């Protein structure tokens, strides 16, 4: 395998890994936002009930 081909393979694999990392990061951000929204919504409604009573 020539050095140019090896270099191109490295560049290609690096691009694939960066894409996978970006996708993984996006999924984790969405999961964290959903969790924060669900937990925060319950707390706000609970406190709202206490303060209104």
């Amino acid at each position: 395998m020539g050095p140019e081909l090896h270099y191109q393979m490295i560049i290609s694999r690096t691009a694939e890994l960066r894409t996978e990392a970006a996708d993984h990061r996006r999924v984790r951000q969405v999961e964290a936002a959903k969790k924060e929204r669900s937990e925060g919504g319950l707390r706000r409604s609970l406190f709202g009930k206490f303060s209104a009573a």
Side-chain angles (χ1 to χ4, degrees), residues 17-33:
L17 290 173
R18 287 179 193 254
T19 303
E20 288 177 23
D23 291 342
H24 183 69
R25 191 177 316 114
R26 198 173 307 117
V27 168
R28 291 189 61 182
Q29 287 173 346
V30 168
E31 289 174 350

Side-chain angles (χ1 to χ4, degrees), residues 7-21:
Y7 181 66
Q8 289 299 321
M9 286 178 58
I10 291 172
I11 290 174
S12 165
R13 184 65 180 143
T14 303
E16 290 173 5
L17 290 173
R18 287 179 193 254
T19 303
E20 288 177 23

Side-chain angles (χ1 to χ4, degrees), residues 1-9:
M1 178 182 312
E4 297 85 16
L5 181 59
H6 188 252
Y7 181 66
Q8 289 299 321
M9 286 178 58

Side-chain angles (χ1 to χ4, degrees), residues 16-51:
E16 290 173 5
L17 290 173
R18 287 179 193 254
T19 303
E20 288 177 23
D23 291 342
H24 183 69
R25 191 177 316 114
R26 198 173 307 117
V27 168
R28 291 189 61 182
Q29 287 173 346
V30 168
E31 289 174 350
K34 284 181 181 178
K35 183 178 178 185
E36 183 179 325
R37 252 185 281 147
S38 69
E39 289 176 353
L42 293 175
R43 273 192 244 127
R44 280 192 300 258
S45 65
L46 180 65
F47 290 139
K49 289 179 184 175
F50 285 142
S51 64

